[in-house]
Amino acid sequence: MIELRSVEKVFGSVRAVDGISFDIKRGEVFGLLGKNGAGKTTTIKMLTLQLKPTAGEIFFEGRAILGNEIFIKSLLGLVPQHLNFDQDLTVEENLELHARLHHLPKIERRERIDELLKFVELEKVRKSFVRELSGGMKRRLLIVRALIHRPKILFLDEPTVALDPQVRHKIWELITDLKARGITILLTTHYIEEAEALCDRVAILNRGRLVALDTTANLCAGRSLEETFIALTK
Ligand SMILES: Nc1ncnc2c1ncn2[C@@H]1O[C@H](COP(=O)(O)OP(=O)(O)OP(=O)(O)O)[C@@H](O)[C@H]1O
Ligand SMILES: [Mg+2]
């Protein structure tokens, strides 16, 4: 579904991503782990066409990015690391705005917003301003906002950061549900148990380089994923 070939991103003297190659398969939940500053968000930004790689190539369904930007953007949904809502719009207005940006016709917009608010149990706050929501509600809204145009590939950059265990488990259920619907998912997280619970395969980045890529079971070989992670990212 997605192929990265020797992808690099350099910011001045910082090699944020230092020549990574891997594939993400259709329908899998793919975990990208790494310490702060390892290059996870930079990788997601290149995969979601927000940043151009300094070198290397990325393919979506066999197509290179150059010349296929509109097609590729239609495939993608992004849940960014940092909340970027218009806090002075209501829940409903935020989704409406996003649906319009994706050129959804009016009737479809209505249906889709109703369906998604129900999916994440936010119907009761649909008229509330985003600034009035709790952190967990904002995270759930961020996820459904990314789903409005029915993307085939969803990028989740630390979707459960700073959430209580109940809300985190709700988001896990949501991710499992999306996988069951056939959506391909790339997820970053600092919660190792989250990667263990959700991911089919995990890639570990260290200082912009890929230091491991396998199923969690194969990666660990008798150790916990946390121990493996710490050993590989010293
Ligand atoms: N726009 C930018 N300009 C300059 N340097 C940047 C920029 N964006 C990221 N970097 C640098 O690139 C490196 C990788 O950053 P990135 O945000 O990709 O890390 P991350 O793995 O997502 O970390 P975290 O877990 O803290 O979110 C860091 O050294 C960071 O300072
Ligand atoms: Mg990040």
Side-chain angles (χ1 to χ4, degrees):
M1 187 110 201
I2 310 175
E3 295 171 53
L4 291 86
R5 296 283 164 260
S6 308
V7 173
E8 278 180 39
K9 183 70 197 180
V10 179
F11 296 109
S13 60
V14 178
R15 298 186 81 78
V17 174
D18 195 5
I20 57 172
S21 301
F22 58 87
D23 296 348
I24 300 172
K25 297 174 193 161
R26 187 183 308 278
E28 78 175 329
V29 179
F30 186 96
L32 196 55
L33 306 186
K35 292 192 292 191
N36 291 135
K40 303 178 299 295
T41 298
T42 304
T43 302
I44 288 188
K45 285 190 173 168
M46 290 191 282
L47 291 172
T48 52
L49 281 56
Q50 300 171 77
L51 278 179
K52 272 202 173 131
T54 310
E57 287 180 301
I58 300 171
F59 300 91
F60 288 85
E61 301 195 325
R63 301 195 204 184
I65 290 176
L66 198 67
N68 292 305
E69 291 86 349
I70 294 175
F71 163 73
I72 291 170
K73 278 189 183 166
S74 75
L75 297 177
L76 310 179
L78 170 66
V79 178
Q81 181 170 1
H82 300 290
L83 303 169
N84 62 351
F85 293 114
D86 188 331
Q87 303 268 344
D88 293 321
L89 292 181
T90 65
V91 165
E92 197 173 56
E93 286 165 350
N94 263 289
L95 294 179
E96 172 73 18
L97 181 68
H98 237 69
R100 281 177 190 238
L101 289 174
H102 285 287
H103 308 292
L104 259 66
K106 192 172 178 182
I107 296 176
E108 201 185 329
R109 287 203 300 268
R110 288 247 174 89
E111 283 174 7
R112 193 75 184 129
I113 290 171
D114 288 351
E115 182 192 346
L116 289 173
L117 288 176
K118 203 167 161 199
F119 184 46
V120 288
E121 296 170 20
L122 289 177
E123 303 124 297
K124 285 194 185 131
V125 293
R126 65 187 296 153
K127 304 277 182 204
S128 302
F129 292 108
V130 170
R131 62 182 137 80
E132 297 168 339
L133 304 184
S134 75
M137 288 171 165
K138 285 183 192 171
R139 287 278 156 200
R140 278 184 276 156
L141 181 60
L142 205 59
I143 296 175
V144 286
R145 189 187 67 178
L147 295 173
I148 206 113
H149 58 299
R150 300 181 196 278
K152 289 189 177 160
I153 311 167
L154 184 63
F155 293 89
L156 296 154
D157 197 353
E158 299 193 32
T160 63
V161 70
L163 297 180
D164 72 43
Q166 277 83 356
V167 178
R168 179 168 304 149
H169 278 87
K170 276 214 155 194
I171 291 184
W172 290 10
E173 281 170 23
L174 194 64
I175 293 169
T176 307
D177 199 356
L178 294 170
K179 177 184 159 73
R181 292 172 187 222
I183 297 181
T184 304
I185 295 169
L186 184 144
L187 169 89
T188 80
T189 182
H190 289 293
Y191 303 111
I192 303 290
E193 76 280 11
E194 182 162 298
E196 273 180 319
L198 296 174
C199 297
D200 297 302
R201 292 191 303 150
V202 168
I204 300 177
L205 283 185
N206 194 34
R207 299 190 191 96
R209 295 198 171 184
L210 190 68
V211 291
L213 169 57
D214 212 328
T215 59
T216 48
N218 284 348
L219 270 181
C220 298
R223 289 187 295 188
S224 71
L225 183 58
E226 184 132 351
E227 284 170 327
T228 307
F229 177 80
I230 291 169
L232 288 170
T233 57
K234 279 206 170 116

